[in-house]
Amino acid sequence: MRIRIAAVGRMAARSPEALLVEDYLTRFAQTGRALGLGPATVAEVEDRRGGGKPAEAALLSRQVPDGAAIIALDERGRTLSSPDFAVALARFRDQGRPEAVCLIGGADGLDPALRDRANLVMSFGAMVWPHMLVRVMLAEQLYRAATILAGGPYHRV
């Protein structure tokens, strides 16, 4: 099952955050391959016309192929443990989903209509995080999920 991180906004190509995302997604691809997970890619969208959440939702929706599981990152979502996130990814994979798309909205969050379409709405806690850091945290959690499913030593309890 391929993974796509669809995010509003552009990340500078060689920024520290971009390098971290690239590193974790490379690790995810290597670890997840034997598990039927990966590779993971990032798709960036940008609403240049200022249409707000509905316009961003339309752009993000174009990144969701038919049959894909939708994982929305939203401050009102469920706070999952890393093992629970790994189980959710494995469940989507085992359902035969060709892809899971992780949605990260713009500064004002995701449009409620798009969030309501999600198979899983999750949060990285009660605090609000900068969108570029959310990408890094998500990429790390994807790698961590793959290592959990592979029985590797990266995740310790």
Side-chain angles (χ1 to χ4, degrees):
M1 177 179 75
R2 294 177 310 279
I3 305 290
R4 183 180 318 191
I5 298 171
V8 173
R10 306 260 180 230
M11 185 179 282
R14 303 306 298 166
S15 70
E17 297 91 348
L19 295 173
L20 283 169
V21 169
E22 180 182 333
D23 180 49
Y24 282 122
L25 294 185
T26 298
R27 293 183 197 194
F28 171 73
Q30 294 166 347
T31 305
R33 184 177 304 120
L35 304 168
L37 293 173
T41 58
V42 177
E44 297 178 318
V45 301
E46 195 167 12
D47 173 33
R48 297 177 190 262
R49 298 177 190 230
K53 289 196 288 189
E56 292 172 353
L59 293 169
L60 287 170
S61 291
R62 291 186 204 142
Q63 296 299 320
V64 181
D66 289 339
I70 301 173
I71 302 169
L73 277 77
D74 186 276
E75 65 183 292
R76 291 167 290 277
R78 291 177 39 211
T79 304
L80 300 177
S81 67
S82 295
D84 287 342
F85 180 58
V87 167
L89 284 179
R91 186 177 62 243
F92 292 139
R93 176 202 60 202
D94 295 346
Q95 291 170 351
R97 302 285 187 132
E99 191 164 344
V101 181
C102 302
L103 302 176
I104 302 172
D108 295 322
L110 290 171
D111 186 85
L114 182 57
R115 188 177 56 238
D116 291 345
R117 288 181 45 205
N119 302 97
L120 172 63
V121 181
M122 63 181 236
S123 170
F124 284 138
M127 293 180 172
V128 175
W129 296 94
H131 292 88
M132 300 309 168
L133 285 182
V134 170
R135 293 185 200 192
V136 173
M137 292 169 21
L138 178 58
E140 191 279 337
Q141 285 299 302
L142 288 167
Y143 170 59
R144 184 176 296 272
T147 64
I148 289 168
L149 295 171
Y154 181 72
H155 179 75
R156 294 176 179 86
V157 181

